[in-house]
Amino acid sequence: SNGKFVKIVEVSPRDGLQNEKTIVPTETKVELIRRLADTGVPVIEAGSFVSPKWVPQMGDTPQVVTQMPVHASISYPVLVPNMRGLEGLQKLLANYADGSKGAPPTDEIAIFTAASESFCKANTNCSIAESLDRLHEVTSKAKAAGLKVRGYVSVVAGCPYEGKVDAEAVGRVSKALHEMGCYEVSLGDTIGAGTPSVMEAVLNASVRQSGQGPEYFAAHCHDTMNTGLANVLHMVRLGVRTVDSAVGGLGGCPYSPGATGNIDTESVVFALHNEGYQTGADLDKLVDVGAWINGQIGRTNASSAGRAVLAQ
Ligand code: HMG
Ligand code: MG
């Protein structure tokens, strides 16, 4: 493997849009995914099979994944919170079984839980233990059906309801997700409260407790306090080789009041390339997509790297 390659997981169609109050038209989401596919990012998180009562913005994910163009070299994971979500996805994928509709839109799900009880309850209406039980079943059934499973731990560096989160609590959840069969665990600083040493402690506890190296973890940093890029670069120096980010700094979690978007892909790619890493992504193309989607949803472009490149 190429130790200087960092895999970008572009989460804007899901994490970036899920918190938008006005429903973004399905065709805009499809067009976003189409444009992202042309930037060279290897993974595009396409949507969520969650309850539309909880996250109305993701209610059209079945239509989005059916309409989006699919490239063989790109993965398009979708969030799945429970068996109901997995069954919905599998029903959709069954339409592709005979090959007449082309390649299935995705072969990967992302499951999610949290390191604090209050956030787990607010986000998925259950305790951490209950959520791990649910996800255990989801993961084993998904893997039996040939789907890859990525895991998320939320609130690794702070909880909007409980404040400080113990790194060892994150480590326990990371271990559980790896043991149930996730190929990668994404460490989510949901509220963007982390700083490099906090993220390092979280990674160390996760690596130690799970017995998996840093290359089996991803950095998922929201940028509320402007520490997102510092955290990402620190995690990469510690051996993490996957970074979740969103063009234009889009995003926020509906159950994390005040938290802002994901770290913008433009600044991540700019910084990684200048630090000698490869991502396969084209900065200028990312900048254009970030400006375009912010224009579509009427937001100011939160990517300072994006704004700077456009002004040059
Ligand atoms: P619940 O209310 O306890 O579940 O929600 P329920 O089984 O009682 O179902 C309630 C209703 O939703 C029912 O409909 C179900 O059928 C339906 P009704 O009978 O009332 O008409 N329902 C579903 N519909 C579609 N798809 C489904 C589904 N499940 C139930 N899968 C539940 C429990 C987990 C479903 C809910 O809490 C939920 O959907 N939560 C998801 C919240 C979410 O998506 N949050 C954002 C993503 S996570 C995130 O952003 C963090 C991350 O970025 C990392 C980070 O930054 O930290 C990943
Ligand atoms: Mg997130």
Side-chain angles (χ1 to χ4, degrees):
S1 78
N2 176 356
K4 283 287 186 185
F5 187 82
V6 176
K7 182 178 72 175
I8 301 289
V9 176
E10 173 59 49
V11 296
S12 58
R14 195 280 303 173
D15 209 350
L17 295 180
Q18 69 182 8
N19 204 31
E20 284 299 311
K21 295 288 164 283
T22 309
I23 298 289
V24 177
T26 303
E27 60 257 40
T28 306
K29 294 170 181 163
V30 170
E31 182 62 19
L32 173 60
I33 293 169
R34 182 199 314 279
R35 289 178 186 231
L36 288 170
D38 189 45
T39 66
V41 294
V43 185
I44 302 172
E45 203 172 60
S48 302
F49 281 74
V50 298
S51 170
K53 292 194 171 138
W54 284 65
V55 185
Q57 186 65 257
M58 294 288 105
D60 64 348
T61 291
Q63 289 74 42
V64 170
V65 301
T66 305
Q67 292 171 31
M68 70 188 187
V70 176
H71 298 263
S73 59
I74 300 177
S75 297
Y76 302 88
V78 289
L79 261 59
V80 167
N82 56 10
M83 280 306 298
R84 166 81 197 268
L86 180 63
E87 283 154 12
L89 174 64
Q90 287 187 288
K91 209 172 131 204
L92 188 151
L93 293 178
N95 296 324
Y96 295 83
D98 69 4
S100 66
K101 289 197 170 68
T106 187
D107 63 354
E108 179 168 346
I109 65 168
I111 60 173
F112 53 102
T113 182
S116 83
E117 292 292 349
S118 312
F119 189 83
C120 195
K121 180 79 182 166
N123 199 37
T124 51
N125 200 24
C126 63
S127 69
I128 296 171
E130 285 166 340
S131 101
L132 292 174
D133 278 348
R134 272 183 201 173
L135 298 178
H136 198 277
E137 184 185 6
V138 169
T139 300
S140 56
K141 297 248 160 74
K143 290 186 78 171
L147 296 167
K148 290 188 288 177
V149 183
R150 180 169 207 254
Y152 275 110
V153 191
S154 282
V155 296
V156 301
C159 170
Y161 313 107
E162 295 180 22
K164 269 203 163 63
V165 170
D166 182 9
E168 297 304 329
V170 181
R172 284 193 290 278
V173 177
S174 292
K175 172 182 155 81
L177 291 174
H178 267 303
E179 277 179 351
M180 71 177 73
C182 294
Y183 74 89
E184 175 177 291
V185 170
S186 181
L187 298 168
D189 181 10
T190 317
I191 63 170
T195 54
S197 62
V198 172
M199 294 303 286
E200 181 169 343
V202 162
L203 179 65
N204 286 344
S206 295
V207 165
R208 178 167 34 73
Q209 291 204 43
S210 69
Q212 303 285 328
E215 67 275 24
Y216 295 99
F217 290 91
H220 181 104
C221 297
H222 287 260
D223 198 31
T224 314
M225 304 305 282
N226 255 332
T227 54
L229 187 59
N231 292 341
V232 163
L233 292 175
H234 191 66
M235 296 284 266
V236 169
R237 285 191 168 189
L238 295 171
V240 168
R241 286 292 174 273
T242 304
V243 173
D244 302 352
S245 59
V247 286
L250 248 54
C253 179
Y255 299 100
S256 179
T260 60
N262 295 90
I263 185 65
D264 59 304
T265 310
E266 296 89 321
S267 73
V268 169
V269 165
F270 171 81
L272 287 175
H273 290 180
N274 282 283
E275 288 291 302
Y277 297 95
Q278 289 128 37
T279 66
D282 183 304
L283 178 59
D284 289 328
K285 288 183 176 176
L286 289 166
V287 166
D288 287 342
V289 182
W292 174 81
I293 186 62
N294 276 298
Q296 290 294 308
I297 63 175
R299 265 179 57 146
T300 307
N301 192 346
S303 171
S304 46
R307 293 194 310 269
V309 169
L310 283 172
Q312 279 160 14

